[in-house]
Amino acid sequence: MRDTTQYKLDQTKFPVLVQMAETLRTNHRFAADIVERSAALFGEQWAIEFERVLRALFPSAEAITAAVKGYAIFAMHSMRLQAVFERDFQYKTKTHEQASSEVYFNEKHMMQEYLPGLLLSHFLWPHHYRQLQFFDSAFVQTMRVAGATSFMEVGIGTGLYSSLLLRKLPSVRGIGLDISPSSKLFTEAQVTALGVENRYHVELRDVTAVPMEPKTDWLVCVEVLEHLDDPVAFLRGLRRNMAPGARAFITAALNAAHADHIYLYRNADQVLAHLMEAGFTLEQFFVAAAYKPSAPGVPVPQAAAFIVF
Ligand SMILES: C[S@@+](CC[C@H](N)C(=O)[O-])C[C@H]1O[C@@H](n2cnc3c(N)ncnc32)[C@H](O)[C@@H]1O
């Protein structure tokens, strides 16, 4: 067992994280020690980043309690679906249109459960946080060295990746695109609270239908492919938004059942095959698993991220 005493959260430095840990311990036993485990795994830098985002988005004790409740509903729902997936090795059949009305255009679910849940998962689920670290070290760092001035993110969801980019690269401007009004609202709240809103704007549109002008040199698209009926058509649409020589950071969730996961990627090679079919060339990739399988052969959620051009 991992020693969860290695890194202790200091109440004076991280009051929001400590409140979140207490709320989980008291109200949501299935995730009772997830904050302490993550802190022990990732240490001080993780705590600093997480505390900053939590303070920005959930500025009162009531807001944190509500976000934690949203996370618990989000996580329990995906655990139930994952149990069915472990038995059937298939996602429940659904179209993008069905997922859109059930999830992306369901404001109450988005604002109270899906977006807070997804946001917390980016820090509380090891494979999600490792993917964020890969983004920071491999993509943001490359943008910094290249003197990037702008970027485009498609499928902003919580807005976490755009916010990180804007904070880490203080002269970069960005545009975020999504189809969900709730994702727009949530992301705008985050960039405003972090004080980077004057370098960013969000548009509600499907870029694969009508490409943006000017084309971007740096594109980010995190966990959208598995939400689509035809990921290759979408990837071709993304390419039409990229200038010659542009780089993209594109990810997909593998073997991860969720209410809006439609296209089942069983391994990273399948995602890479789609990227190549759409005309991309691989530069780097990264894969992380959520946890150890309960038995050999049991599928485990994974995050797969690709830097392509
Ligand atoms: C799992 S979230 C993506 C995670 C997000 N990048 C983050 O960091 O939080 C899926 C998002 O993709 C958006 N989406 C789904 N289909 C889309 C499409 N065809 N074009 C753009 N966005 C889409 C949804 O509205 C939702 O906000």
Side-chain angles (χ1 to χ4, degrees):
M1 279 240 353
R2 182 169 290 278
D3 178 6
T4 56
T5 60
Q6 280 166 348
Y7 180 77
K8 279 249 181 273
L9 284 169
D10 179 342
Q11 156 84 43
T12 52
K13 274 167 92 175
F14 306 113
V16 182
L17 272 176
V18 170
Q19 191 212 322
M20 191 169 93
E22 279 167 13
T23 307
L24 281 162
R25 236 188 332 273
T26 314
N27 301 343
H28 309 288
R29 298 293 305 161
F30 81 97
D33 65 347
I34 194 168
V35 175
E36 289 83 352
R37 276 189 284 125
S38 304
L41 197 55
F42 296 116
E44 178 98 359
Q45 199 50 42
W46 168 90
I48 292 169
E49 292 283 329
F50 198 7
E51 179 86 10
R52 178 188 285 121
V53 173
L54 290 172
R55 277 184 196 214
L57 273 166
F58 312 113
S60 66
E62 294 72 35
I64 284 291
T65 305
V68 171
K69 185 176 171 199
Y71 166 78
I73 295 168
F74 174 89
M76 289 294 287
H77 189 201
S78 77
M79 281 160 63
R80 274 197 291 273
L81 291 173
Q82 191 69 15
V84 175
F85 174 65
E86 285 180 7
R87 187 195 64 205
D88 299 346
F89 287 86
Q90 294 291 344
Y91 294 160
K92 196 165 170 249
T93 308
K94 197 177 280 183
T95 63
H96 182 265
E97 204 180 328
Q98 286 169 325
S100 296
S101 68
E102 200 180 301
V103 181
Y104 317 132
F105 294 102
N106 178 346
E107 189 185 342
K108 185 162 174 272
H109 171 57
M110 285 295 275
M111 297 308 281
Q112 294 182 7
E113 295 157 7
Y114 186 94
L115 292 169
L118 187 59
L119 184 91
L120 267 55
S121 83
H122 279 307
F123 289 89
L124 294 177
W125 297 358
H127 61 313
H128 273 188
Y129 188 66
R130 290 195 169 106
Q131 178 171 277
L132 195 63
Q133 288 180 308
F134 175 66
F135 175 69
D136 193 4
S137 63
F139 196 71
V140 179
Q141 178 58 14
T142 305
M143 285 179 70
R144 180 182 290 113
V145 171
T149 55
S150 62
F151 74 94
M152 175 192 291
E153 180 173 5
V154 180
I156 48 178
T158 62
L160 183 67
Y161 278 74
S162 281
S163 299
L164 185 135
L165 250 174
L166 292 160
R167 272 199 306 104
K168 296 275 171 117
L169 303 179
S171 55
V172 158
R173 310 185 74 83
I175 177 166
L177 306 157
D178 205 293
I179 54 167
S180 165
S182 305
S183 294
K184 179 175 188 287
L185 214 63
F186 199 89
T187 297
E188 284 171 343
Q190 185 173 178
V191 293
T192 302
L194 292 169
V196 292
E197 76 283 6
N198 58 347
R199 291 186 283 119
Y200 191 70
H201 83 278
V202 181
E203 281 183 26
L204 285 179
R205 70 146 88 192
D206 179 354
V207 278
T208 60
V210 184
M212 300 286 293
E213 282 302 335
K215 296 183 192 310
T216 190
D217 287 323
W218 302 92
L219 185 132
V220 177
C221 182
V222 172
E223 296 200 359
V224 179
L225 296 185
E226 68 279 6
H227 298 244
L228 305 168
D229 302 311
D230 186 349
V232 175
F234 180 81
L235 286 168
R236 288 199 177 104
L238 289 185
R239 267 186 83 70
R240 285 195 286 278
N241 287 275
M242 292 169 64
R247 273 196 179 76
F249 181 88
I250 299 176
T251 84
L254 320 177
N255 297 313
H258 207 80
D260 56 343
H261 288 187
I262 293 168
Y263 193 95
L264 172 56
Y265 286 110
R266 296 182 191 275
N267 56 55
D269 282 348
Q270 293 179 343
V271 187
L272 183 57
H274 275 179
L275 286 163
M276 291 170 78
E277 199 179 328
F280 286 101
T281 302
L282 178 67
E283 187 170 86
Q284 291 188 56
F285 78 96
F286 160 93
V287 183
Y291 46 79
K292 200 169 164 232
S294 55
V298 174
V300 166
Q302 293 179 325
F306 302 80
I307 298 177
V308 288
F309 56 90

